[in-house]
Amino acid sequence: YSYKMTFCCDNPYQTICKNKDLSVLKSLIDLAGLKSAVAGLKNSTFFAPTNQGLENYPAGLIKYLTGPANRELLRSVLLYHITNEGAFTTQQLEASKVLKMKDNRITTIYRALYYNFVPVVQDLIQQNINVVEGNIATRCNNYIHKIGGLLLPEPIYYPQVLNPPY
């Protein structure tokens, strides 16, 4: 986990574009038609799933979310990673802080001893996802925190291949 503060003069979308470990997130933002919404964020906190964090999910989930019939669901999932309640550093994400996200649902922050005081984000399906790098400050008072997974605002049921060919 990185505690350093990183400052840049780019908007959040440009910052995501310049981070190689956020390239899948950038593709998802583009596919969902959220480029201008992310670029125009003000006084926000974005929990950005890293490429490695997204690799932890079955390939079928990402394929399902990126299907033409599921673009609204993809938008909802991505908006669930952003709060307009303020630009919070990792130090300001205190234990049991409840945040309202852009899709009007909530998420909860934990900072328990057994997590080495690293902020942990819990989504609505009770997944705990660590902040792996925090405090990336962007233009217009925004912070991006890289997280090790995809926050889900609801259970997502998708077709799964039980015996994939290897």
Side-chain angles (χ1 to χ4, degrees), residues 3 23 30 33 53 60 64-65 67 88 110-111 124 135 144 150:
Y3 286 100
S23 62
D30 291 346
Y64 180 76
L65 286 173
F88 299 104
Y110 294 97
R111 290 180 76 93
L124 286 178
N135 301 327
I144 295 175
L150 185 68

Side-chain angles (χ1 to χ4, degrees), residues 39-51:
L41 290 174
K42 292 178 176 52
N43 198 33
S44 297
T45 304
F46 194 130
F47 296 98
T50 62
N51 295 350

Side-chain angles (χ1 to χ4, degrees), residues 79-149:
L79 291 173
Y80 185 64
H81 289 76
I82 305 167
T83 181
N84 281 343
E85 291 196 333
F88 299 104
T89 65
T90 53
Q91 293 76 17
Q92 293 169 322
L93 294 172
E94 70 265 4
S96 301
K97 184 171 195 69
V98 176
L99 298 174
K100 185 175 182 184
M101 308 311 273
K102 280 187 75 69
D103 75 339
N104 292 318
R105 301 182 206 199
I106 62 164
T107 193
T108 307
I109 305 297
Y110 294 97
R111 290 180 76 93
L113 175 63
Y114 49 88
Y115 293 120
N116 291 326
F117 297 102
V118 170
V120 175
V121 186
Q122 186 177 78
D123 63 17
L124 286 178
I125 65 166
Q126 308 296 306
Q127 287 187 109
N128 292 325
I129 301 174
N130 288 354
V131 173
V132 294
E133 181 183 341
N135 301 327
I136 303 168
T138 72
R139 189 170 63 207
C140 297
N141 194 31
N142 298 291
Y143 280 101
I144 295 175
H145 303 295
K146 295 179 185 179
I147 59 173

Side-chain angles (χ1 to χ4, degrees), residues 160-166:
Q160 298 181 29
V161 178
L162 297 179
N163 295 309
Y166 292 118

